[in-house]
Amino acid sequence: MLQPVTRRFPRADAAVPEARSFLRQVLAEWNITDRFDDALYCLSELATNAIVHGGAGGEHFDVQVTFTDSRLRIEVRDLAGRRPSMQSPDPDDTTGRGLLIVDALADGWGVEPCVPRGKTVWTEFKIDTEQDLPAGVSPC
């Protein structure tokens, strides 16, 4: 069983590419290639939300990655109590589409409160763990 991996990031714009790099490294170590781009994109959205809406006094956010039962779960925890919600942006709006995209790409997502404060926004992906076998080779 793979152990969950967690890393803390500062609430700064540069943390989004750092969080993506962290996820790339974890997925490479775990040899997960299925849904790779979807997972990276959703993490970018959730990390951006943590930076923009992470709450006063919250100087960081945490990213945790777990893989169990063929499901990849990415969690982003910040110190803000306000729950995110999907928006209905107008075509000319430049923001408000992040959770719509997460909802479209992921197999599930949600929000859980944290004690004593904050929240965790998570997203999950069903991962195909079967390896493609070379032609003519059958599993034992």
Side-chain angles (χ1 to χ4, degrees), residues 131-140:
Q131 299 290 328
D132 291 331
L133 297 173
V137 175
S138 59
C140 298

Side-chain angles (χ1 to χ4, degrees), residues 78-139:
D78 64 46
L79 298 176
R82 187 174 141 243
R83 294 174 61 94
S85 61
M86 287 199 286
Q87 305 295 309
S88 298
D90 290 327
D92 293 335
D93 289 344
T94 58
T95 63
R97 292 176 181 79
L99 290 179
L100 292 169
I101 294 168
V102 169
D103 189 62
L105 293 177
D107 293 310
W109 72 275
V111 183
E112 299 170 356
C114 296
V115 175
R117 68 182 183 132
K119 67 182 173 302
T120 298
V121 183
W122 57 268
T123 184
E124 286 188 343
F125 303 88
K126 296 175 189 170
I127 301 297
D128 181 10
T129 57
E130 293 184 22
Q131 299 290 328
D132 291 331
L133 297 173
V137 175
S138 59

Side-chain angles (χ1 to χ4, degrees), residues 43-60:
L43 173 59
S44 294
E45 294 298 334
L46 299 184
T48 298
N49 283 351
I51 292 167
V52 174
H53 307 290
E59 297 178 6
H60 64 272

Side-chain angles (χ1 to χ4, degrees), residues 24-54:
R24 274 190 203 97
Q25 179 184 0
V26 170
L27 296 180
E29 289 174 8
W30 292 351
N31 197 30
I32 296 175
T33 57
D34 187 38
R35 309 291 301 276
F36 185 85
D37 291 332
D38 292 344
L40 285 172
Y41 196 85
C42 288
L43 173 59
S44 294
E45 294 298 334
L46 299 184
T48 298
N49 283 351
I51 292 167
V52 174
H53 307 290

Side-chain angles (χ1 to χ4, degrees), residues 58-76:
E59 297 178 6
H60 64 272
F61 65 95
D62 296 325
V63 175
Q64 181 169 333
V65 184
T66 57
F67 184 70
T68 54
D69 299 325
S70 298
R71 295 187 77 82
L72 175 67
R73 182 176 174 111
I74 302 167
E75 299 179 351
V76 176

